Amino acid sequence: MKFTDDSSPHLPSDMKNKVVLIGILFSFGFVLNPQPRIVTEKFFPDVQANFKSPAFHKKHGFTKYHEMMEYLNKLKSEHSDIMQITFIGKSQKGKLIPMVILKSETPKIPHPVKVWLQGGLHGDEPASTEGLLNVLESIVLNPVLLQRLEIAFVPMANIDGYEKQIRYAANGLDLNRDQTKLMAQESVYLKQVFSDYHAEVAVDFHEFRPYRRDFAHYNRAGITSRFDVMFLYSGNLNVPEKLRYYTNDTFVGNARKALDTHGLNYHDYVTTDDYYGDIHFTQGSVQSRSSATSYALTNCVSSLIEVRGVGLGRTSFTRRVFCTFQVAMSYLNSAYDRVDELRDVLLLSRKDKSEIVLKSTRKVSEEKLKVIDLDTYEETEIAVTLRDGFQSKAQLKRRRPVAYAFDTTIKQNKILVQKLRVLGASLGPTDKEMKCTAEYFIPTSVVKHGALFEQIHRTDIETKTETKQITLPKGTMILYMDQPKSNLVAEVLEPEAPNSFISYSLLEAEINKPLSWFRIIEF
Ligand SMILES: [Zn+2]
């Protein structure tokens, strides 16, 4: 089977009609499985597992919202001592978004480790939701982990997308590109609850598309991914180095071992990008608009887990849910086994006062990648140019301020302050005049992108800073940087950072006109 666009002119006309028909079916959201049976049988045979969530009681489709709610309510009625269901807000179509908290009334340690498990942020990645429902059930049946853990589950984060099995929220936004600009109402609810929960470990479950259009350019008949699971953890340089390495070595490391014991294949997350007309593979994540980095910047162990599945319908579904289940259980066991070590790392990371990195570049190298050849149906390797986010280098840095200050008589700043609170920042007005050394951002270049990204025209900005001794009037809104989520704050307030409020054009900047918030270097 070929996936190239240029293959169709060589096809006989009845085949061409079929290709057109397949295209039409795809555009109406019909699920056509692109995976030949031989690939499934040879590389991804289903596994034996005794999953009981709603999708496993039927042959077609996945767990519907109302089926999930019935399932959760039944579990809760049987285990109300350890299970609570709350609703964190409404989807755009008005469905209540459930969050389940599992916690013991008599934990064995005074402050159980808080873990956040999320699925279904992209609505067409059903193994994430299904996997979490089964993790939840398995823990309520055997709650030993709750002796040291408290676990929050958001199994279906994007209900409207899930009900239609599409990636996006009802207004067309990708909720995993919306973690700093917060334009979808689901993003605001999810982020507020995440911020208030103060997770120490956060895992966001997804599935990836194993048949990508540009994979058709490799070998004679194209390739497909060899991996059951890909791990996406942050390479963002504002995530303290100790936390980045601990996440990889310990939590991802243990999950790799767990997959090894079941003969499942994994890799660090890689995807393809068009790079000036060439296909490059990017590895890892550095962008705070996505969950893995956004959560890590709030000072927790964070990963996004990608399971091989988008576009496969029910093919290998038990295997995909099994992968989700195994990785989730591994993260929970790592947290359970290493409470003190985890907290030491988080405490040290919180004390890290490194300079703020505004721009970084990925390490580029030539590598080999394991794939499945779609002509021979053999495992093989291809040569790729890899741009690795986990090995990023700082390009532009700025010293860390002691605080940021806002004049809230400016209307736009009120909206910013609101968003910052949703992101978990605490800030408030001064109760007296204060002398300080302030640094103002003066834009030296402002370029608006012509093309839309997630429904906005982004801004590229460069600034210089201007230092002044000033007296802050009483009532000035101050955000002190000595707080747990300060690295996320820097990512949105430093204008050059790629996912900042200015980069996402939440505020318009003008050349030579100081921005409406500023840095405080010293009081
Ligand atoms: Zn996804």
Side-chain angles (χ1 to χ4, degrees), residues 190-244:
L190 286 163
K191 187 59 84 181
Q192 185 73 66
V193 173
F194 179 82
S195 298
D196 295 345
Y197 188 68
H198 304 295
E200 295 164 273
V201 177
V203 196
D204 185 21
F205 289 90
H206 288 247
E207 290 191 275
F208 69 92
R209 185 177 290 281
Y211 291 84
R212 295 176 66 83
R213 190 173 281 269
D214 43 15
F215 281 4
H217 297 293
Y218 289 89
N219 297 4
R220 241 173 64 87
I223 54 162
T224 184
S225 172
R226 175 67 187 102
F227 309 117
D228 286 290
V229 174
M230 294 198 285
F231 294 98
L232 183 56
Y233 43 98
S234 187
N236 182 301
L237 296 172
N238 292 320
V239 176
E241 186 175 8
K242 194 163 183 67
L243 180 55
R244 272 182 279 135

Side-chain angles (χ1 to χ4, degrees), residues 39-139:
V39 172
T40 307
E41 286 172 358
K42 193 165 173 184
F43 298 101
F44 306 103
D46 237 332
V47 296
Q48 288 300 314
N50 190 22
F51 294 132
K52 298 204 188 71
S53 59
F56 289 96
H57 294 286
K58 51 189 188 181
K59 282 213 167 95
H60 302 286
F62 307 102
T63 297
K64 298 269 184 206
Y65 174 71
H66 72 272
E67 293 170 335
M68 175 178 75
M69 291 316 304
E70 282 162 24
Y71 174 79
L72 292 176
N73 284 326
K74 180 164 179 292
L75 280 179
K76 193 201 159 219
S77 70
E78 292 158 1
H79 305 277
S80 58
D81 53 331
I82 51 172
M83 177 167 169
Q84 303 159 12
I85 304 176
T86 56
F87 294 97
I88 64 181
K90 276 185 183 168
S91 74
Q92 290 165 43
K93 300 258 188 198
K95 298 237 164 73
L96 289 165
I97 307 166
M99 172 169 76
V100 173
I101 303 273
L102 298 187
K103 65 194 275 193
S104 165
E105 287 169 333
T106 53
K108 291 275 157 56
I109 57 172
H111 301 288
V113 173
K114 293 182 125 186
V115 183
W116 175 274
L117 300 178
Q118 179 174 294
L121 192 62
H122 289 146
D124 59 347
E125 300 171 7
S128 62
T129 297
E130 215 67 39
L132 289 189
L133 294 179
N134 286 287
V135 170
L136 201 159
E137 177 164 354
S138 124
I139 293 172

Side-chain angles (χ1 to χ4, degrees), residues 179-435:
Q179 307 259 335
T180 59
K181 56 187 172 60
L182 304 170
M183 281 166 57
Q185 70 184 54
E186 288 90 345
S187 305
V188 176
Y189 293 133
L190 286 163
K191 187 59 84 181
Q192 185 73 66
V193 173
F194 179 82
S195 298
D196 295 345
Y197 188 68
H198 304 295
E200 295 164 273
V201 177
V203 196
D204 185 21
F205 289 90
H206 288 247
E207 290 191 275
F208 69 92
R209 185 177 290 281
Y211 291 84
R212 295 176 66 83
R213 190 173 281 269
D214 43 15
F215 281 4
H217 297 293
Y218 289 89
N219 297 4
R220 241 173 64 87
I223 54 162
T224 184
S225 172
R226 175 67 187 102
F227 309 117
D228 286 290
V229 174
M230 294 198 285
F231 294 98
L232 183 56
Y233 43 98
S234 187
N236 182 301
L237 296 172
N238 292 320
V239 176
E241 186 175 8
K242 194 163 183 67
L243 180 55
R244 272 182 279 135
Y245 282 91
Y246 183 67
T247 301
N248 179 11
D249 296 343
T250 303
F251 280 75
V252 181
N254 288 343
R256 290 183 185 112
K257 284 181 208 156
L259 295 176
D260 275 335
T261 62
H262 296 286
L264 297 161
N265 281 275
Y266 54 82
H267 196 272
D268 281 356
Y269 177 75
V270 284
T271 188
T272 45
D273 262 328
D274 182 329
Y275 202 78
Y276 300 110
D278 285 336
I279 302 170
H280 283 197
F281 282 69
T282 55
Q283 177 160 288
S285 136
V286 296
Q287 304 268 16
S288 52
R289 65 182 179 220
S290 301
S291 63
T293 292
S294 170
Y295 296 167
L297 287 165
T298 69
N299 204 39
C300 66
V301 165
S302 160
S303 303
L304 188 155
I305 305 303
E306 293 274 13
V307 170
R308 187 183 193 280
V310 175
L312 297 189
R314 289 274 307 217
T315 297
S316 308
F317 191 56
T318 308
R319 183 184 180 99
R320 288 149 54 192
V321 174
F322 185 78
C323 289
T324 306
F325 183 90
Q326 290 301 331
V327 173
M329 291 309 291
S330 170
Y331 272 72
L332 292 172
N333 283 316
S334 293
Y336 182 88
D337 291 339
R338 294 162 182 273
V339 174
D340 294 339
E341 184 186 280
L342 166 67
R343 287 195 164 142
D344 285 348
V345 171
L346 295 180
L347 189 65
L348 278 175
S349 300
R350 220 197 118 166
K351 289 181 181 159
D352 189 317
K353 296 283 180 274
S354 305
E355 285 184 297
I356 295 164
V357 176
L358 309 176
K359 286 189 176 158
S360 63
T361 48
R362 291 159 177 262
K363 185 184 165 193
V364 183
S365 59
E366 300 303 317
E367 303 289 340
K368 296 262 196 262
L369 189 71
K370 202 158 64 162
V371 297
I372 297 165
D373 184 293
L374 288 177
D375 188 28
T376 60
Y377 299 120
E378 296 291 343
E379 184 178 303
T380 181
E381 280 187 338
I382 56 169
V384 301
T385 302
L386 192 73
R387 313 180 75 81
D388 188 1
F390 202 71
Q391 299 189 60
S392 296
K393 269 214 162 65
Q395 235 184 341
L396 180 63
K397 292 189 195 181
R398 191 168 284 144
R399 66 178 157 170
R400 188 172 287 260
V402 293
Y404 291 93
F406 306 81
D407 175 356
T408 42
T409 59
I410 297 171
K411 195 177 144 209
Q412 279 184 315
N413 273 354
K414 287 194 179 145
I415 299 165
L416 282 197
V417 165
Q418 238 173 25
K419 290 210 189 257
L420 283 162
R421 289 199 166 121
V422 174
L423 292 170
S426 83
L427 65 175
T430 55
D431 55 5
K432 56 178 191 297
E433 286 190 350
M434 290 168 91
K435 283 196 163 60

Side-chain angles (χ1 to χ4, degrees), residues 133-176:
L133 294 179
N134 286 287
V135 170
L136 201 159
E137 177 164 354
S138 124
I139 293 172
V140 295
L141 294 177
N142 176 15
V144 64
L145 287 172
L146 302 183
Q147 290 176 2
R148 295 187 205 158
L149 306 180
E150 177 189 320
I151 312 165
F153 290 81
V154 181
M156 197 182 280
N158 172 12
I159 295 167
D160 299 343
Y162 207 91
E163 288 282 85
K164 293 169 89 174
Q165 283 295 305
I166 56 169
R167 180 179 176 91
Y168 304 100
N171 62 354
L173 286 177
D174 183 331
L175 299 182
N176 208 28

Side-chain angles (χ1 to χ4, degrees), residues 434-480:
M434 290 168 91
K435 283 196 163 60
C436 69
T437 309
E439 245 177 25
Y440 291 85
F441 299 107
I442 317 289
T444 55
S445 161
V446 178
V447 179
K448 215 51 181 279
H449 289 218
L452 281 171
F453 173 84
E454 292 293 308
Q455 303 176 4
I456 44 173
H457 296 281
R458 283 186 292 173
T459 303
D460 286 336
I461 188 170
E462 286 169 27
T463 67
K464 62 180 182 191
T465 54
E466 214 167 82
T467 309
K468 285 185 193 168
Q469 304 300 321
I470 60 164
T471 302
L472 297 174
K474 181 182 166 186
T476 304
M477 197 61 85
I478 301 272
L479 188 162
Y480 291 97

